[in-house]
Amino acid sequence: MRNTWSRKLVGLLLVIGLFAAGCGGSGQSPNNNQGGTQTPSNSQTQTQQPQTQEPQEEKRLVIYTGRDQSIIDLMVAKFEEKYPEYKGNVEVLPMGAQEIMERVRAEKANPQGDIWWGGTQQALSLAVKEGLLAKINPEFASKIADGYKDPEGHWYGEMLLPEVIMYNKEMISESELPKDWDDLLDAKWKDQIIIRAVPASGTMRTIYAAMIDRFHQEDGKPDRGYEWLLKLDANTKEYAANPTDLYLKIFRQEGSLSLWNLQDVLIQAQEGMPFGYIIPESGVPILVDGVGMIAGAKHPQAAEKFLNLLFSDEVQAELAATRFQIPSINLPESMQPEWLKELMPQLKAMDLEWDVMAEKEAEWIGYWDENIKGKGK
C-alpha cells in the first residue's frame, strides 16, 4: 500500500508541475541585455506593471579619447551638471588616436567603451569598414556639412585641425623662421626638430601621410615621399613619447621646431609656453577630427546624451573661445570668437587625396617606422 500511495503522490506532483508550467510560467530566459526589457506573456500583461525606470547600468558612460585633459575635465563637468545621475560614473581613458583604434578593434567581440572621441577621418573611415562604429542619427547631424561626416552616420566631425609648424619663439627670430614644409630639410635645422612619436599619434600620422601624398599624386607611388621623410629624419633630434614630453622638450630648448596641430599650439601658448606657429605657404593639411559611438556600446543612451551636449552651439562656441577649436558645425557668426574670424582667411588647405590617405596610411606609416625612422643620420 505504501509503495502504491507513493507512486500516486509522485504522479500527482508531476501533473501539477506540468500544469503550472503550461499555464502560469513565463517560459522566457532571463534578460541579459544592457538596457533591455522583457516582453511579458499575454497572461502577465493584465497584472505586471510596465518597466518605467531606466536600467541602472545605463548610469555609466565610458569614453576613449585623444582630447586634451583640460577639455576632458570641462566636458565631463558639463555632462554631470546637466545629467547629475551620471555624476562619478563617467570613465574616461585618454590615449592616442591610433591606440583607440587598436583597442576598439581588439574589443570588437565585447565592447568596453561607448564613445570614440577624437579620431582622424582616416581612422574613423577605416573603423566603419571594419564594423567598429554604430550608425546613429543624432539631433546635430544636420548642422554638419557632408564633407565632415560619414554619409551613413557612423561618425561626425567635431572640429577642423590645421597641421602647422610649431616653434619656440625664444629660440628663433621672425626673420629666420622656415616658410614652408620643404624648408625643414635645410641642414641648419639639424638636431633642432623634435617630433611626437608618429605611429600612436593621429596628428603625426596625418602630417606624414600628407607629406607622402604630395608626391603620390604625381607619381602614383610613395617613393619620393619616403625620401622626403628620410631627409626630415636626418634633422630630427628625437621622437617624444607623448605630447607632454614634446612640449617640455621644446620648452627646455632641447629643440626649436616641431610639426603639430594648431589647436594644441594655441592652447600651450595660452598656458604660458613660448610657442608660436607657422602656416606653410604651400598650404596645410586640415584634418577633420571626429567622434563616433562604438558598435555594441553598453550605454548607448548615455553616449547620445553626451554627444548631443558636445555638439550644441553653446558648448562649441565655448570650446572655440577658450580652447581654440574650429567647429565643424555651422556656428552662427555672432558666436564665433575674434581669433577664429581672423584665422580663417589665412588658412590655405593642401589639396590631398584623403581617400587614398585613409587607404594607404597604415602601409605608409608602417614603412616609415621600419625603414626610415632613425636612419637618416
Side-chain angles (χ1 to χ4, degrees):
M1 291 290 292
R2 181 179 298 174
N3 291 338
T4 301
W5 172 246
S6 297
R7 285 195 296 271
K8 289 182 178 180
L9 179 60
V10 170
L12 180 61
L13 290 173
L14 286 173
V15 170
I16 293 172
L18 289 171
F19 179 79
C23 298
S26 100
Q28 292 176 308
S29 60
N31 177 26
N32 292 322
N33 294 328
Q34 303 288 349
T37 57
Q38 280 186 298
T39 303
S41 64
N42 290 337
S43 62
Q44 289 176 306
T45 57
Q46 303 300 320
T47 58
Q48 182 173 312
Q49 295 297 318
Q51 182 173 339
T52 57
Q53 280 192 327
E54 191 179 72
Q56 186 64 33
E57 185 64 18
E58 266 291 313
K59 298 299 187 293
R60 289 190 65 228
L61 178 62
V62 181
I63 302 172
Y64 297 162
T65 183
R67 287 287 183 265
D68 182 83
Q69 189 63 48
S70 62
I71 295 176
I72 294 171
D73 294 342
L74 175 68
M75 280 310 305
V76 170
K78 285 183 175 295
F79 181 71
E80 292 183 346
E81 179 181 6
K82 183 168 184 177
Y83 301 103
E85 65 268 30
Y86 293 97
K87 189 171 182 61
N89 291 318
V90 179
E91 182 179 359
V92 182
L93 283 74
M95 60 189 88
Q98 185 61 23
E99 293 171 305
I100 298 176
M101 176 66 154
E102 292 168 0
R103 180 159 186 153
V104 173
R105 183 183 283 149
E107 295 174 348
K108 183 177 182 180
N110 183 25
Q112 300 301 302
D114 301 307
I115 293 175
W116 177 342
W117 178 24
T120 66
Q121 65 202 73
Q122 304 98 288
L124 293 170
S125 296
L126 180 59
V128 173
K129 292 181 180 179
E130 295 185 17
L132 302 178
L133 295 177
K135 181 178 179 179
I136 59 175
N137 185 28
E139 59 190 39
F140 56 81
S142 62
K143 297 193 294 184
I144 303 176
D146 288 344
Y148 299 151
K149 61 185 177 184
D150 175 58
E152 301 298 323
H154 292 90
W155 63 266
Y156 295 88
E158 183 198 354
M159 63 179 174
L160 308 182
L161 277 176
E163 315 295 354
V164 299
I165 299 172
M166 178 175 79
Y167 70 99
N168 186 322
K169 295 192 291 185
E170 296 176 352
M171 297 179 69
I172 310 175
S173 67
E174 290 284 336
S175 61
E176 295 176 314
L177 290 173
K179 293 180 172 55
D180 213 336
W181 301 107
D182 290 344
D183 294 341
L184 296 173
L185 307 185
D186 192 306
K188 74 177 183 178
W189 302 118
K190 186 173 179 62
D191 291 334
Q192 286 298 304
I193 299 173
I194 297 178
I195 300 291
R196 157 74 160 105
V198 177
S201 167
T203 290
M204 291 312 307
R205 292 173 74 94
T206 297
I207 294 174
Y208 273 36
M211 295 302 106
I212 295 172
D213 188 65
R214 293 189 302 161
F215 302 102
H216 186 272
Q217 291 184 52
E218 298 179 6
D219 305 342
K221 54 184 180 180
D223 297 31
R224 283 201 294 152
Y226 291 154
E227 292 173 9
W228 192 94
L229 290 176
L230 185 66
K231 294 175 182 176
L232 180 67
D233 181 78
N235 283 351
T236 300
K237 183 176 182 180
E238 61 181 298
Y239 296 91
N242 53 59
T244 300
D245 282 353
L246 172 65
Y247 304 146
L248 288 175
K249 289 177 185 297
I250 300 293
F251 171 71
R252 294 170 181 161
Q253 302 192 3
E254 296 174 26
S256 59
L257 291 167
S258 189
L259 290 68
W260 200 234
N261 70 77
L262 177 61
Q263 182 194 24
D264 284 350
V265 176
L266 293 173
I267 288 175
Q268 294 303 313
Q270 183 185 54
E271 294 178 355
M273 290 292 197
F275 298 165
Y277 67 91
I278 303 156
I279 299 177
E281 293 176 346
S282 62
V284 297
I286 299 182
L287 174 69
V288 178
D289 194 272
V291 303
M293 185 190 299
I294 297 169
K298 292 181 171 62
H299 315 112
Q301 297 171 29
E304 287 209 34
K305 289 175 182 176
F306 183 89
L307 292 176
N308 285 328
L309 177 63
L310 177 64
F311 279 85
S312 65
D313 286 357
E314 293 74 19
V315 167
Q316 287 297 309
E318 181 177 347
L319 291 173
T322 64
R323 309 313 292 171
F324 301 104
Q325 285 196 186
I326 302 176
S328 64
I329 66 171
N330 295 317
L331 194 65
E333 186 174 353
S334 61
M335 301 180 76
Q336 296 177 18
E338 286 303 316
W339 75 266
L340 183 57
K341 294 177 183 178
E342 294 173 4
L343 172 71
M344 294 308 289
Q346 303 176 43
L347 287 180
K348 176 185 176 183
M350 291 178 67
D351 184 16
L352 297 169
E353 304 169 309
W354 289 102
D355 289 344
V356 173
M357 288 169 58
E359 178 185 350
K360 297 288 188 180
E361 182 184 279
E363 173 189 332
W364 291 349
I365 300 304
Y367 183 91
W368 174 85
D369 197 34
E370 294 179 11
N371 301 284
I372 297 175
K373 178 185 176 184
K375 295 179 171 62
K377 304 301 184 183

